[in-house]
Amino acid sequence: MDAPVDVYYWSDYQCPFCRRFERNTLPKLVETHVQSGTVRLVFVQYPYLGKLSMTAAVVDRCVWRQVRAERPRAYWRWHATLFDEQGSENSDWASRDNLLDVTRGVEGVDANAVDDCMRERRSEIESSIREDVERASRFDIRGTPAFVLYNREEDVAGKITGAQPFDRFDEAITRVQNA
């Protein structure tokens, strides 16, 4: 299914405002727009809050690579768990060891495979993430959470920054969809 509106969501696992968005807005956004086929949500790493943000971003990519083909819902369980476990910025909660411990507790995700991916592919993945960060600067994105809503068919876009309430997203999606 091809949704008419893409929502690109730039996030940092250490960002407390991303956590607020994840808890307060994302569930209703998924229920109302993603599940109905109106929106395709594209999660993009924007690790800017410190060295451990990049570690969390690399773990994220490794989890996705492991589960995307057969268990994509496991990724979203892992993703939600990471925000549930979020500690203060640049504390050990986002260290490699702790992230792997959290991963061990998520059904459908193999922490050993994630660890192998990190050891074998970290520099390649970091390079890819840095490219995403550079791409974000073209949209004047400098922090998280940030969102670009894009109607591919009409070539119309909108932007939302911050942990906004569902109604702001609903209005922006409708505006971009009906452009």
Side-chain angles (χ1 to χ4, degrees), residues 22-100:
E22 292 275 336
R23 288 183 165 180
N24 299 337
T25 305
L26 183 61
K28 190 165 183 184
L29 183 65
V30 168
E31 178 185 321
T32 305
H33 292 289
V34 175
Q35 290 177 351
S36 72
T38 304
V39 163
R40 178 177 74 113
L41 186 64
V42 181
F43 184 72
V44 186
Q45 293 293 329
Y46 191 85
Y48 76 107
L49 291 172
K51 181 177 82 170
L52 295 176
S53 292
M54 181 59 86
T55 299
V58 171
V59 173
D60 175 272
R61 292 276 178 96
C62 287
V63 168
W64 177 246
R65 286 173 183 219
Q66 181 200 118
V67 302
R68 68 181 170 207
E70 295 177 17
R71 299 177 313 278
R73 288 179 191 250
Y75 169 81
W76 291 108
R77 281 194 304 274
W78 176 86
H79 174 94
T81 300
L82 218 57
F83 277 110
D84 288 345
E85 297 291 324
Q86 185 186 72
S88 56
E89 288 177 32
N90 297 310
S91 66
D92 278 347
W93 85 268
S95 70
R96 175 189 180 119
D97 289 343
N98 191 58
L99 293 174
L100 289 170

Side-chain angles (χ1 to χ4, degrees), residues 146-160:
F147 309 85
V148 171
L149 298 77
Y150 182 60
N151 179 331
R152 290 181 311 283
E153 194 170 292
E154 301 297 326
D155 196 28
V156 174
K159 182 178 168 186
I160 296 176

